[in-house]
Amino acid sequence: MPLGVYVHIPFCATRCDYCDFATWTDRAHLMDEYVDACVADLDRQMAGEPRAATSVFFGGGTPSLLPAAGLTRILGAVRRVDGAEVTVECNPDAVDPAQLDVFAAAGVNRLSFGVQSMAPHVLAGLGRTHDPAGVDRAVRAARDAGFRHLNLDLIYGTPGESVDDWRRSLDGVLALAPDHVSAYALTVEPGTPLGRAVAAGERPAPDDDDQAEKYEIADDVLRGAGFEWYEISNWARAGGECRHNLLYWARDDYLAVGAAAHGHVDGRRAWNLRTPERYIAAVRSGATVEAGHEVLDAVARRGESVLLGIRTRAGIPVTPELAPAAASLADDGLVEPGRDRVVLTRRGRLLASEVTVRLLSAGSEGRTRVAVGRLEC
């Protein structure tokens, strides 16, 4: 059985205007203590886990802000299978060649760069601090350090981003020859600088039709370059899929390490204390680091399998109770017809929430809540 480990690094140099993740820009003084806490937490969790990890994912925040020795010390506490996938999220302006050499030597074999756009004015609108030239420098440094597996992360639908801007962003990342591209529609979260600006009428909200058009452009451009979608927001060349994030969609097990991290083991979901101070204090005192947990019953597990599985290229099985809904969805052009699995068409991917509601209603699963870890590659 696969086992993932998600490590949340909550430190950032600056906070992006759209971000509502558990990150802090004024906690750098806690980095050493935080590393100690993560290592101690891992030692405890791995002692009770007979499996070795098949994947490790450092998300954030900005994991590449952590001193390389600290990050690799955390990684060293993870018992791993040979060939385990180890991913570190990086900001293009928060990596350097020496750091990447240390990562590679310690077993990191996959990097995910938060590019977001290759248009300077769009980056400025998102509150990002890097520029397209910085992306090129970071990717070249990664290649020089020996990294073959790279994900480049994009966001589409920022107000002020034209269709031509979006096409240039896609062309720009493809010119860097990644084996994986993630593309997410910009969402406006309450309490963020962007959310406050939209609520005050100072900035327009993203336009649904504009985002749908840009999604279709991304799918055309990426497929034309040899990428295939394997999850609604993720495309990869053959063999370039993110193995760790596939654990989320398949409802496999993954351990949670760090403040605000989420985990899932044997049908039990848990989430950690949100702030780094509280997490560190809990580890030191021997108290639980969990802020809460839930155990899903059989009905909820089936519903969650629909909710997560329908987002993937593998889809979900057409069971007798789902067959009428699947046929109706195929008639509406939302899922592929004549299949023994429910697989979204491109139009279905744009309307995935509607498809999910119809399938859950047909399966009598009711409302299903799911809290998975960071669904980013």
Side-chain angles (χ1 to χ4, degrees):
M1 293 292 293
L3 175 71
V5 176
Y6 175 73
V7 184
H8 188 69
I9 306 299
F11 308 110
C12 281
T14 60
R15 192 174 183 87
C16 300
D17 289 354
Y18 57 89
C19 177
D20 73 337
F21 290 132
T23 64
W24 285 266
T25 61
D26 58 353
R27 302 290 195 275
H29 61 283
L30 294 175
M31 284 185 179
D32 290 343
E33 296 172 80
Y34 191 80
V35 169
D36 290 342
C38 287
V39 170
D41 191 9
L42 268 166
D43 287 343
R44 177 187 59 80
Q45 293 196 59
M46 296 303 290
E49 174 54 65
R51 293 169 290 179
T54 54
S55 65
V56 184
F57 196 103
F58 287 86
T62 309
S64 54
L65 274 183
L66 205 63
L71 188 144
T72 57
R73 186 170 162 237
I74 297 172
L75 179 58
V78 181
R79 187 174 65 253
R80 290 166 280 154
V81 302
D82 290 341
E85 177 189 84
V86 181
T87 302
V88 176
E89 287 187 334
C90 303
N91 277 359
D93 56 358
V95 295
D96 62 69
Q99 174 192 47
L100 295 178
D101 287 340
V102 173
F103 285 175
V108 178
N109 50 27
R110 188 173 183 275
L111 300 177
S112 181
F113 285 106
V115 175
Q116 316 315 6
S117 177
M118 295 295 271
H121 70 280
V122 176
L123 290 169
L126 292 169
R128 301 292 289 184
T129 57
H130 67 271
D131 58 20
V135 175
D136 182 70
R137 286 192 298 270
V139 170
R140 282 192 283 109
R143 297 298 188 200
D144 289 344
F147 286 96
R148 294 190 304 109
H149 297 298
L150 296 180
N151 171 60
L152 300 183
D153 211 27
L154 291 171
I155 290 177
Y156 59 89
T158 302
E161 177 192 63
S162 68
V163 167
D164 286 342
D165 291 331
W166 178 233
R167 288 187 179 276
R168 280 193 293 271
S169 290
L170 291 165
D171 292 342
V173 298
L174 289 176
L176 298 172
D179 61 350
H180 191 290
V181 175
S182 301
Y184 298 96
L186 177 67
T187 57
V188 177
E189 302 292 349
T192 63
L194 177 62
R196 290 192 292 270
V198 169
E202 297 167 358
R203 296 186 65 180
D207 179 83
D208 290 344
D209 291 337
D210 173 71
Q211 290 189 332
E213 179 184 6
K214 287 172 179 171
Y215 182 89
E216 292 179 331
I217 290 170
D219 194 47
D220 287 339
V221 170
L222 292 169
R223 293 188 66 186
F227 291 72
E228 289 295 334
W229 80 280
Y230 71 97
E231 190 278 330
I232 287 177
S233 300
N234 292 281
W235 291 258
R237 297 189 188 277
E241 298 85 357
C242 178
R243 282 185 273 153
H244 181 83
N245 273 15
L246 284 170
L247 294 175
Y248 297 150
W249 310 120
R251 298 186 66 253
D252 287 326
D253 291 348
Y254 49 96
L255 306 180
V257 179
H262 285 70
H264 172 261
V265 177
D266 294 333
R268 180 182 186 273
R269 294 201 178 279
W271 47 95
N272 288 348
L273 298 166
R274 183 173 175 83
T275 68
E277 292 94 338
R278 293 178 65 198
Y279 175 78
I280 292 168
V283 173
R284 282 179 173 171
S285 67
T288 180
V289 298
E290 291 184 1
H293 75 276
E294 62 181 351
V295 179
L296 303 181
D297 61 22
V299 171
R301 286 198 301 272
R302 288 195 300 272
E304 186 177 275
S305 294
V306 171
L307 180 70
L308 295 175
I310 197 62
R311 295 181 60 89
T312 69
R313 180 63 185 167
I316 60 173
V318 179
T319 61
E321 62 183 359
L322 292 182
S328 175
L329 289 164
D331 289 342
D332 292 340
L334 299 176
V335 304
E336 296 179 2
R339 298 281 301 273
D340 60 357
R341 300 186 70 83
V342 185
V343 177
L344 296 173
T345 61
R346 186 161 77 180
R347 181 166 179 266
R349 281 180 266 159
L350 291 169
L351 298 171
S353 295
E354 177 185 335
V355 173
T356 301
V357 168
R358 288 168 65 175
L359 289 170
L360 290 176
S361 297
S364 301
E365 309 299 357
R367 295 179 62 187
T368 299
R369 183 172 71 87
V370 56
V372 285
R374 287 285 302 282
L375 297 184
E376 291 185 300
C377 281

